[in-house]
Amino acid sequence: MKKLGFSEVVKSVWMGILFFIFLTTFGCNGDKQEEVPYRTVDIRINLSSPDFASLSGVGGFVYITGGSRGIFLRRKSFEEYTAYDRNCTFNALEGCVLTIDSNNFYLKDSTCCGSRFSLDNGNSVLGPASRTLRTYRTTLNGNTLFITN
């Protein structure tokens, strides 16, 4: 077995560093974790409207127009609502639209990649998506719910 000199070790280390930089810069573009397209959201909802009757109980939800591919709005607790963009974060530019699963446990993408997201915080719970869903701010004032970004 041949012993390496100091200069050969340094050269090997630099080659490894350059290879790593090359891979992280140009390699593995199959990740497809693009940013969800930005859309200004400024929505006001009258919660006493019959259109939003499903939000009267905790856990109720509706799909509304807005955001990139629509918004999933859910009543999380008596005074708290969550609003997520329905655009999946994997291959986001392809516009895969999320829907709630049949048991109301998570948001899912069944047409593009099979990713699933938590209803509570929008985090990815099953990949290939790894980014959290775009979340919109919700503010309750009496019977009016404001959804903004």
Side-chain angles (χ1 to χ4, degrees):
M1 183 168 180
K2 180 183 172 190
K3 267 189 156 181
L4 295 177
F6 179 75
S7 64
E8 291 171 317
V9 170
V10 170
K11 184 178 177 181
S12 294
V13 169
W14 274 109
M15 291 301 288
I17 291 170
L18 290 174
F19 182 71
F20 177 77
I21 290 171
F22 178 80
L23 279 180
T24 57
T25 304
F26 300 107
C28 209
N29 282 335
D31 188 18
K32 300 287 188 180
Q33 300 295 324
E34 301 113 343
E35 193 68 31
V36 170
Y38 180 85
R39 303 288 186 266
T40 300
V41 172
D42 188 9
I43 300 170
R44 179 182 304 197
I45 291 176
N46 179 352
L47 293 173
S48 44
S49 166
D51 293 338
F52 301 104
S54 63
L55 294 172
S56 62
V58 172
F61 70 92
V62 293
Y63 301 117
I64 60 173
T65 303
S68 178
R69 299 284 176 200
I71 295 173
F72 172 79
L73 177 62
R74 177 176 172 256
R75 188 169 194 167
K76 187 173 182 178
S77 67
F78 184 69
E79 292 185 358
E80 186 179 5
Y81 294 80
T82 55
Y84 304 116
D85 202 294
R86 293 180 62 198
N87 196 353
C88 183
T89 60
F90 185 81
N91 287 337
L93 300 179
E94 290 183 22
C96 303
V97 178
L98 301 169
T99 56
I100 196 164
D101 76 300
S102 60
N103 295 316
N104 296 345
F105 290 141
Y106 49 81
L107 287 170
K108 65 180 174 133
D109 165 33
S110 31
T111 59
C112 297
C113 66
S115 296
R116 295 180 185 172
F117 299 87
S118 167
L119 295 178
D120 288 329
N121 56 24
N123 288 343
S124 173
V125 294
L126 179 69
S130 60
R131 286 189 177 196
T132 299
L133 294 175
R134 173 159 289 149
T135 304
Y136 298 105
R137 193 173 20 255
T138 60
T139 308
L140 184 60
N141 186 358
N143 279 337
T144 304
L145 181 67
F146 298 92
I147 305 168
T148 58
N149 52 358

